[in-house]
Amino acid sequence: MAATSVPQLIAYAETVGYAGYRGLTTAGAPLFAWGLATGSPWMNSGVTSLTAVMAKTDLGGEAYVAKYGEKEYVDLVSAYSLYIGVASIVMALVGFGKLASKVPTSVKSGFKWGCELGVLASALPNGLYAFGSSLKGMVATSAFGDVVTTVKTAVPGATGISGVANIAYAVTNPQSWDVVAAAIFFASTFFVMKAKSFLPKWLPPGSEVLMATAAATVFSVYYGYEGGVVGEIPSVDSDSGLSLFNGMVKVPIELMDVKELLNVPIAERCFGGSMVKLFITAAIFSGVNFLSIVGIASGFESDNNVPWSAPRELISQGVSNLAAASVGSAPVSGSMSRSLVSRMTGASSQLACIVTALLWIYMMPYMSIMSPTPKAALSAVIVSAVVKNVVIPKKILALKGNDFIVGVATAATTAITSPTIGFGVGCVIYVAINVLVRSPKKKVA
């Protein structure tokens, strides 16, 4: 699992909005903490496509990096993970874990689709263009740019509209694509999505991802690919990190200063100066995050008769996010793909998470092999996971009547504004339609 997850770690870091190598350097600690806290033998945690796009949207990633730089953005993301960790633990203690399963299916389906569109919007620029940042300028000077300006003027919180405009421009202007980047992107996407049908069945899930990124990396080195790549992966100084047992054991991870994280002006710069708004947003993020864990744990319970405790897993989410904050990681949640790999490979206890985490930490000196990996291939990894449901949203189409209206409204609001706003609006619409507005009862003759 440690090997097959590496491309995802880099790709999701790019989705968050900072350098891909940070996904490698910060993945170990949260998973280690998760392994100590969870009650599931198979469930894994980490930065996922959902947590990545939610964090980037809530914090205004691109604009923040442009204004303050990547270093301050890393501090901002870390501080957000800290608040989400605290919110998760508090919510577990007040009994939210049991309420999470009560979220209406229509809201969950629409929310998921809106987030997946956001994931697609984040990945597409690096997939179709040599340097993804070039798309922003093209969109700004087009008719789509005018639409973005109009929507943001009317609804200042509509940060997602930029991503929707990026997709619309890229799809309708194929002549603007970079030929080599697009070729890598489409070839990698096709392989990842179709490889399971012809690869040996004994290979673990995720092998197709590893193969695609390895092939793209070889191409990059051999032909001198000039587009966007992962880039240099800084090594951790041998004397830095944690030193245990009087220096006998050294853990090569760099820790953030918790006091400095508490002083990060996250409320002032991202939430209108309101700590209340920050805490509410962090709580919503935590609750939405936990839905992924509920889905994974419920699946294992029904398929394999593995019992689970909602309060414990919500606390595990909180502990894992606190660990994420301590090393500069984006918020984490349950990862379906890694959890399935863990089950398939025969893991029998939480020790599998701990061993995987240690491998990620101690193998960092050898991760420079990923430096020449094209970002187009990493974008393919992300797109292959969401494109089917974005194009054909089966769960939304399966909804009927009022539930369909709620699902579509939640999806559209989530995609155009932000995941947090979209989820809240979806719940409000559901209540308005199904609780406040009741159909008149038929009179009995």
Side-chain angles (χ1 to χ4, degrees), residues 119-397:
V119 171
L120 185 64
S122 295
L124 215 54
N126 281 326
L128 299 177
Y129 301 89
F131 298 95
S133 57
S134 62
L135 177 58
K136 185 177 181 180
M138 298 179 196
V139 173
T141 57
S142 70
F144 295 108
D146 296 335
V147 173
V148 171
T149 302
T150 301
V151 173
K152 284 189 173 182
T153 300
V155 186
T159 54
I161 187 62
S162 297
V164 175
N166 286 348
I167 294 176
Y169 181 90
V171 171
T172 56
N173 291 273
Q175 75 279 1
S176 66
W177 301 350
D178 179 83
V179 175
V180 179
I184 294 173
F185 171 72
F186 285 118
S188 299
T189 302
F190 178 83
F191 182 82
V192 171
M193 295 181 69
K194 298 296 183 180
K196 291 181 181 179
S197 63
F198 55 79
L199 287 177
K201 302 299 181 184
W202 51 265
L203 286 173
S207 297
E208 67 279 4
V209 171
L210 199 59
M211 292 177 183
T213 51
T217 302
V218 171
F219 172 84
S220 176
V221 172
Y222 190 78
Y223 289 99
Y225 177 62
E226 296 180 351
V229 295
V230 171
E232 182 182 357
I233 299 177
S235 58
V236 179
D237 190 280
S238 59
D239 294 325
S240 65
L242 289 176
S243 181
L244 307 175
F245 306 111
N246 294 322
M248 293 178 62
V249 177
K250 291 189 176 181
V251 185
I253 56 174
E254 295 183 354
L255 297 177
M256 306 287 286
D257 188 321
V258 177
K259 291 183 179 180
E260 289 187 6
L261 290 182
L262 292 174
N263 291 326
V264 171
I266 181 171
E268 291 78 6
R269 293 178 178 178
C270 302
F271 298 96
S274 172
M275 287 298 294
V276 173
K277 186 177 179 180
L278 168 58
F279 282 122
I280 291 175
T281 305
I284 293 175
F285 194 117
S286 301
V288 171
N289 245 10
F290 189 59
L291 295 178
S292 299
I293 293 175
V294 171
I296 298 169
S298 298
F300 288 156
E301 184 175 40
S302 61
D303 295 345
N304 306 96
N305 198 29
V306 177
W308 66 288
S309 165
R312 177 171 179 174
E313 299 308 328
L314 186 50
I315 288 176
S316 298
Q317 174 179 284
V319 171
S320 189
N321 273 287
L322 292 179
S326 72
V327 293
S329 169
V332 298
S333 182
S335 169
M336 175 65 82
S337 61
R338 294 168 216 168
S339 298
L340 292 176
V341 172
S342 186
R343 181 179 67 175
M344 195 216 69
T345 53
S348 58
S349 73
Q350 301 91 322
L351 186 62
C353 288
I354 295 173
V355 171
T356 300
L358 292 175
L359 283 172
W360 282 341
I361 291 171
Y362 285 100
M363 291 299 289
M364 269 307 300
Y366 308 99
M367 287 296 103
S368 58
I369 192 174
M370 299 291 293
S371 294
T373 301
K375 290 184 178 181
L378 299 177
S379 292
V381 172
I382 297 174
V383 169
S384 63
V386 300
V387 67
K388 274 188 178 182
N389 191 50
V390 169
V391 176
I392 306 176
K394 292 182 179 180
K395 290 187 177 181
I396 293 180
L397 295 175

